[in-house]
Amino acid sequence: MKIVFATNNQHKLEEIRYILGEKFEVVSLRDIGCTEDIPETGSTLEENAWQKVDYVHEHYGLDCFADDTGLEVEALNGAPGVLSARYANDEGHDHDSQANMNKLLRELDGNDNRRARFRTVVALLLNGERHQFEGIVEGRIDTEKHGTEGFGYDPIFVPDGYDKSFAQLGPDIKNHISHRARAMQKLTDFLH
């Protein structure tokens, strides 16, 4: 089955292809000729995911799925949340993972409550019907970066049940336990 994933993020694309496996040919926005930067102006993860799906359907007439993911830190009242990828933009950094992590570590400096969770929302438009799936992984924010695998906040996020960050655990473990893996498993189960 061929399905469009509304992203041009190569890391996400590889992760999704790995998770969905051989039964699906996952194509990116670039693969369908979409080079526009689809706006993500929603105030929630759900709104952003649907914004991407609706854009692809409206401009290309294709069924597709999209996701939006946020890191929600308890001590920061759920921030960075929907702004996770752009967290350090106010400091002059655009979609800069290192700057985002540095800002978050500074904001949590001296705070004993380091509880956090990654939450992914997947929106799917298929045959005119809308479906939504969610995946959550609970954990904590470490006091410093560890590991080189993964992307985004992976070097500082330690999932519950582990003593290593996502960036240290590597893709095989991460892609089985992550928020995105959990949301995608629900999507995969639905599509089968």
Side-chain angles (χ1 to χ4, degrees), residues 8 28-38 55-56 60:
N8 274 324
S28 69
L29 291 173
R30 194 170 291 112
D31 294 332
I32 63 168
C34 178
T35 56
E36 300 92 335
D37 193 15
I38 299 175
Y55 184 93
V56 169
Y60 295 88

Side-chain angles (χ1 to χ4, degrees), residues 79-148:
V82 72
L83 299 176
S84 292
R86 302 176 294 282
Y87 197 46
N89 277 16
D90 62 334
E91 298 176 351
H93 302 281
D94 185 36
H95 286 76
D96 182 330
S97 294
Q98 294 302 318
N100 290 339
M101 283 188 286
N102 291 339
K103 179 179 179 178
L104 183 61
L105 290 172
R106 279 193 312 273
E107 290 185 348
L108 287 177
D109 190 37
N111 194 324
D112 291 335
N113 181 4
R114 304 189 77 85
R115 294 296 307 156
R117 69 180 189 168
F118 268 118
R119 188 166 69 92
T120 293
V121 173
V122 175
L124 168 69
L125 180 64
L126 186 64
N127 303 321
E129 293 183 7
R130 296 164 82 83
H131 307 276
Q132 186 172 297
F133 310 94
E134 182 180 78
I136 294 173
V137 64
E138 301 283 347
R140 64 180 172 82
I141 303 300
D142 208 335
T143 54
E144 57 189 48
K145 300 173 199 169
H146 297 284
T148 57

Side-chain angles (χ1 to χ4, degrees), residues 50-62:
W50 283 113
Q51 204 169 20
K52 291 182 262 190
V53 166
D54 291 338
Y55 184 93
V56 169
H57 191 260
E58 183 179 318
H59 290 84
Y60 295 88
L62 298 169

